[in-house]
Each structure stands twice: as C-alpha cells, then as structure tokens.
Amino acid sequence: MSPLEQTATATVDTALYSEVQNFYGHQMRLLDEAAVDDWANTFTEDGEFAADAHPEPSRGRTAIASGARQATSQLAAKGIQRRHWLGMLDVTGNSDGTIQARTYALILETPQGGKPSTQLSCTCDDLLVREAGRLLVRHRRVHRDDLPRS
Amino acid sequence: MSPLEQTATATVDTALYSEVQNFYGHQMRLLDEAAVDDWANTFTEDGEFAADAHPEPSRGRTAIASGARQATSQLAAKGIQRRHWLGMLDVTGNSDGTIQARTYALILETPQGGKPSTQLSCTCDDLLVREAGRLLVRHRRVHRDDLPRS
Amino acid sequence: MSPLEQTATATVDTALYSEVQNFYGHQMRLLDEAAVDDWANTFTEDGEFAADAHPEPSRGRTAIASGARQATSQLAAKGIQRRHWLGMLDVTGNSDGTIQARTYALILETPQGGKPSTQLSCTCDDLLVREAGRLLVRHRRVHRDDLPRS
C-alpha cells in the first residue's frame, strides 16, 4: 500500500478538518487585507515559510511579517487586490499531536477597475501545531506548479 | 489585540462550519441553475442583499427573486452558465445566536462552446440566522475587488 | 416544495460533510499527481465514471485507471500540471446508506514556466458508498458547462 493510499484509509478527525478550514479562511484574509503582524502571529514564534520561488525560507515572525509587509505595500501601490484561495484540503493528524495539512492554492489578483486573473497555482504543505488552544503554522512549504519540482 | 486576531482565538463551532458550507453549496446552485424562488427563500422574509455595484440593496424575498430572475434570464439568452464559488469561509457565532459568515467569492462564466472566465472576485459578508432549524441569510453584503472600498 | 428546497431543509450530517471534503482533497490529488492506480482504488470495484464529453462511461477500476494513465501521460509529455478543484459541496445522506455528493469542479492547467488557466467549469454528481469504513465512488457523472445539457 502506497503512503498516499494509507492516508486515505486513516480515520478523519472531522472537527479538526473544519477547524483547519476556518483557520485558513481567517489566516489568508489577514494577509490579503494587509494585517501583516496578525498574519505573522498565525505562525509559531520560530515558524518557517519556505517557497520554491524564494532563495531562502523566512524564519520567525519578524521575518515573515517583513516579507508580507513588502509584498502588500507593492500591491497597494499598484492598486491590486490579491486573494489567496486554499482548497482541496487533506488533513492528517500525526501521533505526536502535530497536524499535516495539504492544500491546493490559487493566487488571484484584481486591479482597480479591471478583471481578476489567476497568477499562480501552487500546492501548500503545512505542519500545524496547537499552542494555548490555537492552531499555528510551524512550517509551510509552497510549491509553484509552473516551476520544476526540486 | 485587534478584532481580527480576537476572532482567531475564539473556539470554532466545527459542526456549524460544515453546515454553513453545505448551505452555501446548496444556495448558490439554486441561483446558478435559475431556481430563483427557491434562491430567494434562502433569505429571511425581510432579507437584505447589498452589493457595492448596486445603487440600492434588494430588500425582501420578492425583490431578491426579481433581481435574480432578471439576471438569470439575461444569462440564459446569451447561453452563459454562471457559477458562484464561495470559499475561504470564516465563521463566528454571535452571542445573540446569529452567525457571521465571511467568504471570498468568485463569479465564473462559461459560454456554450467556449472557455470559462473569472468575471469577478469579491468578498461576501453574511449575517445568518436560524428559523425552524434552517439557516437563512438575513443580510448579505458583497464587495467587488475591482471597485474602491467605500 | 421543490426537490431542491426539500434538500435544504434536511439535517446535514456535518461530520460526513467534512469527511467527503477530505476524501475529495485526497482523491483528486492522486489523479493530479498521476497516482492512477491509487486513484482508481477510490472507486468501487465496479465503479462508473461518466462524462458528457466521453462517448461511453468508464466501468470498473481497470478502465478508470487506464483512462487516467492516458490523460496523465499526455499532460506529462507537454509539461502541464493539471489541478482539479471541487467545491461548493452539497451532501445528502440517502436512506439506504449511500451518499449523494454534488460539487462544482474546475480544471486548471499550468504549463512549466507559464501561467495557470481555467480549462473547464463542470458539475460533478457522485454517488458514494462506504466499504470497510472507507468512502468510495460508485458512480460519478461530470457535466461540462460549455456543452449543452442532454
């Protein structure tokens, strides 16, 4: 049995599934609406954000906030509203209490007075942990479908 | 703590979360498949539908059905299948029993024999209530990403 | 009361709803990442896959795997990453224990070094069954929005 098939047979924690969806709905809106410090606080203090389009991962909330601040400033200057859509969520609870959450991600951009366009299609692999009852991202890895897999 | 962050720490009612998703899956298909009276019945009798592209909100089921009938007739005449996708749902239960449900919304159109295109990217802020066990929209406010925020 | 409205008043099994979502997140990734045998195993042994773009339905896992193998080979040869997004799920449990799951489906394609584009907008009507605790597709019917309804 392949690892992918194994996951399919595992029991799904359906309450956790909805909680992760709600977390993403909340988290990505923080980024899209430029609440960059609140966004960074959805990662653990030592959280890591890796993307194959970036030379190095961002490590820690300060770095994650700083990267988001730069990106959102540039979009605001151009009058572009960006929206991150995560979907097709596949959740697996690990035995150590951490949570593996895999999604598809689309990045759409709408300029003032213009039409929306889909800029990127990606996969997003998260390791989530719970701290004081709250879900947080400990590690995120984003892969763009237009780039070769490393 | 900002209001957005406060929401993040609130406990999510995960059963309600799925129920709202199912409600939207059902509701928007009614509109997209031109069942306009059934669509209007997913709002409260005095339900309100506000969109920043409309000069005035539609108030009440009759007005909501009438607006939908006009829109769906025009699409049918042009041979266009419209699809509303709501996603990235963020649900908060209010202390008075009402429900705040925020989503991202995409409107796609596919002409007969043609390719789909994303016409609009929006946010949709709903106030939901429960009547006789059923979720209904008491107030919906749609904001288009291509228009300035008022 | 129309059949569509009737469904709306039915109680939603919210745990089942999340389980079906997780099933789709898992299932469609198997197809998109070319794990065609694992993909075929998400159908029942006698599963049926009908699409209005195909002259005949695929019947049984061997036929379903074979169709997927051909499609994924062609995409790989062209350097295209395809992604199936299912959303706007509407679930109804039938009295015989089978599950009716209706979704909207988008098919996106991203070429190496290029931009994503939405190739197709569809509806997907599934009849799901549970075997040894696992959800499986017994019957899938995909309708493309660009083709006339038969």
Side-chain angles (χ1 to χ4, degrees):
Chain A
M1 192 181 287
S2 75
L4 278 169
E5 200 178 357
Q6 222 164 5
T7 314
T9 62
T11 306
V12 183
D13 179 339
T14 55
L16 177 63
Y17 191 88
S18 296
E19 189 183 357
V20 173
Q21 288 184 311
N22 200 66
F23 172 73
Y24 285 144
H26 190 81
Q27 182 198 38
M28 300 313 294
R29 188 181 282 241
L30 290 174
L31 177 60
D32 292 337
E33 302 189 349
V36 294
D37 291 315
D38 290 342
W39 150 257
N41 286 335
T42 62
F43 289 78
T44 59
E45 189 58 52
D46 62 347
E48 202 166 300
F49 185 157
D52 52 9
H54 300 172
E56 287 292 326
S58 296
R59 291 193 180 91
R61 287 180 179 158
T62 306
I64 289 169
S66 163
R69 193 169 288 111
Q70 202 184 334
T72 54
S73 299
Q74 290 172 349
L75 290 166
K78 294 186 199 164
I80 289 173
Q81 177 64 58
R82 185 179 280 178
R83 298 282 174 200
H84 290 78
W85 282 68
L86 303 188
M88 301 304 284
L89 172 65
D90 186 1
V91 166
T92 314
N94 297 322
S95 54
D96 63 357
T98 62
I99 298 146
Q100 182 194 329
R102 306 190 312 156
T103 48
Y104 287 178
L106 292 180
I107 301 180
L108 282 97
E109 291 184 0
T110 308
Q112 281 293 299
K115 288 260 175 191
S117 62
T118 306
Q119 295 294 311
L120 292 172
S121 168
C122 307
T123 52
C124 177
D125 292 338
D126 276 357
L127 186 72
L128 305 178
V129 296
R130 195 179 295 279
E131 286 185 7
R134 269 179 84 186
L135 293 179
L136 296 174
V137 179
R138 179 179 286 166
H139 190 274
R140 171 165 294 180
R141 190 179 184 288
V142 175
H143 171 74
R144 282 169 45 176
D145 283 339
D146 57 313
L147 298 180
R149 295 234 159 231
S150 52
Chain B
M1 191 180 288
S2 74
L4 278 169
E5 200 178 355
Q6 221 165 6
T7 314
T9 63
T11 306
V12 183
D13 179 339
T14 54
L16 177 63
Y17 191 88
S18 296
E19 188 182 358
V20 173
Q21 287 184 313
N22 199 68
F23 172 74
Y24 285 144
H26 190 81
Q27 183 197 37
M28 300 314 294
R29 189 181 281 241
L30 291 175
L31 177 60
D32 292 337
E33 302 190 350
V36 295
D37 291 315
D38 290 342
W39 149 258
N41 286 336
T42 63
F43 289 78
T44 59
E45 189 59 52
D46 63 346
E48 200 166 301
F49 186 156
D52 52 9
H54 301 172
E56 288 293 325
S58 296
R59 291 193 180 91
R61 287 180 179 158
T62 306
I64 289 169
S66 161
R69 192 168 289 113
Q70 200 183 336
T72 54
S73 300
Q74 290 173 349
L75 291 167
K78 294 185 199 165
I80 290 173
Q81 177 64 59
R82 185 180 278 178
R83 298 283 174 200
H84 289 80
W85 283 67
L86 303 189
M88 301 304 284
L89 172 65
D90 187 0
V91 166
T92 313
N94 298 321
S95 54
D96 63 357
T98 62
I99 298 146
Q100 183 194 327
R102 305 190 312 155
T103 48
Y104 287 178
L106 292 180
I107 301 179
L108 283 96
E109 291 184 1
T110 308
Q112 281 294 299
K115 288 257 176 195
S117 62
T118 307
Q119 295 294 311
L120 292 171
S121 168
C122 307
T123 52
C124 177
D125 292 339
D126 276 358
L127 186 71
L128 305 178
V129 297
R130 195 179 296 279
E131 286 185 8
R134 270 178 83 187
L135 292 179
L136 297 174
V137 179
R138 179 180 287 166
H139 190 275
R140 171 165 293 181
R141 190 180 184 287
V142 175
H143 171 73
R144 280 168 48 174
D145 283 339
D146 58 312
L147 298 180
R149 295 232 161 233
S150 52
Chain C
M1 190 181 290
S2 75
L4 279 169
E5 199 177 357
Q6 222 165 4
T7 315
T9 62
T11 306
V12 183
D13 179 339
T14 56
L16 177 63
Y17 191 89
S18 297
E19 188 183 358
V20 173
Q21 287 184 313
N22 199 66
F23 171 73
Y24 285 143
H26 190 80
Q27 182 197 39
M28 299 314 294
R29 188 181 282 242
L30 291 174
L31 177 60
D32 292 336
E33 301 189 350
V36 295
D37 291 316
D38 290 342
W39 150 258
N41 286 335
T42 62
F43 289 78
T44 59
E45 189 58 52
D46 62 346
E48 199 166 302
F49 186 157
D52 51 10
H54 301 173
E56 287 292 324
S58 297
R59 291 192 180 91
R61 286 180 179 158
T62 306
I64 290 170
S66 161
R69 193 169 289 111
Q70 199 183 337
T72 55
S73 300
Q74 289 173 348
L75 290 167
K78 295 185 199 166
I80 289 173
Q81 177 65 59
R82 185 180 278 177
R83 298 283 173 200
H84 290 78
W85 283 67
L86 303 189
M88 301 304 284
L89 172 65
D90 187 1
V91 167
T92 313
N94 298 322
S95 54
D96 63 358
T98 62
I99 298 147
Q100 182 193 330
R102 305 190 310 155
T103 48
Y104 287 178
L106 292 180
I107 301 180
L108 282 96
E109 291 185 1
T110 308
Q112 281 294 300
K115 288 259 174 193
S117 63
T118 306
Q119 294 294 311
L120 293 172
S121 168
C122 307
T123 52
C124 176
D125 292 338
D126 277 358
L127 186 73
L128 305 178
V129 297
R130 195 179 295 279
E131 286 186 6
R134 270 179 84 186
L135 292 179
L136 296 174
V137 179
R138 178 178 288 165
H139 190 274
R140 171 165 293 180
R141 188 180 187 288
V142 176
H143 170 73
R144 280 168 47 174
D145 284 338
D146 57 312
L147 299 180
R149 295 231 161 233
S150 51

